[in-house]
Amino acid sequence: MRNYDLTPLYRSAIGFDRLAQLAEHAASNKGNSGYPPYNIELLNDTRYRITMAVAGFAMDELDITSEGDKLLVKGTKAEQDKERKYLYQGIAERGFERTFQLADYVTVIGANLENGLLNVDLERKIPEALKPRKIDISTSRMIDSE
């Protein structure tokens, strides 16, 4: 992996010091293999959807946990009662754990399982105090010097 010098970014951007940590986390995220496959969809300016292909998993075998800035989706397959003799097994029946890093103010608003697809809906709600606001410019001095 290449090491990039992010010093120029820090000179002109305030509060983006977590960028290097997030990039490092993404590069070293060995726990997330390619299973199960997933999509991340932008629904509008503030809503997102993660769709995971979890064919063969029942609703009680799936668990979604949101804590802080992390979203964990976990699938645990129940033990089969009888041994099966496969001639070919192309459908994975193993458990999984997939972790997603959420941006500031992104929260999970719901999840549903339909036709083997798990949809997790997310929304970004920026507090009113942090939204851009117009600053009026006056001609008189607001602060008198002593």
Side-chain angles (χ1 to χ4, degrees):
M1 184 180 131
R2 293 182 179 174
N3 290 326
Y4 294 101
D5 182 16
L6 299 176
T7 306
L9 174 67
Y10 297 142
R11 286 186 203 135
S12 61
I14 310 299
F16 287 93
D17 47 341
R18 288 186 50 209
L19 180 63
Q21 294 170 343
L22 291 173
E24 186 177 303
H25 173 74
S28 68
N29 201 355
K30 296 178 178 82
N32 283 344
S33 66
Y35 177 77
Y38 66 94
N39 295 333
I40 300 175
E41 184 179 359
L42 177 64
L43 301 176
N44 62 34
D45 289 344
T46 61
R47 296 200 54 199
Y48 306 87
R49 175 174 289 153
I50 299 170
T51 302
M52 299 180 75
V54 293
F57 282 86
M59 202 173 307
D60 61 340
E61 296 174 325
L62 297 169
D63 185 49
I64 303 171
T65 307
S66 176
E67 182 177 345
D69 60 354
K70 297 210 183 329
L71 172 66
L72 174 67
V73 181
K74 186 176 182 178
T76 308
K77 285 299 291 177
E79 291 291 322
Q80 296 290 336
D81 292 339
K82 61 180 182 174
E83 273 300 310
R84 293 182 178 186
K85 184 177 178 182
Y86 292 103
L87 297 177
Y88 172 78
Q89 185 178 8
I91 300 173
E93 290 186 349
R94 64 183 184 270
F96 67 89
E97 256 188 44
R98 168 105 24 214
T99 304
F100 296 93
Q101 183 80 28
L102 301 179
D104 292 337
Y105 312 112
V106 173
T107 58
V108 178
I109 57 173
N112 72 322
L113 181 63
E114 185 178 351
N115 298 327
L117 296 175
L118 175 66
N119 294 306
V120 181
D121 290 325
L122 307 153
E123 186 169 21
R124 184 174 182 199
K125 293 182 180 178
I126 299 174
E128 284 296 322
L130 297 178
K131 289 183 180 177
R133 60 186 175 98
K134 179 86 170 145
I135 307 297
D136 293 327
I137 302 171
S138 66
T139 56
S140 62
R141 287 190 129 167
M142 295 180 74
I143 302 175
D144 293 327
S145 59
E146 293 179 26

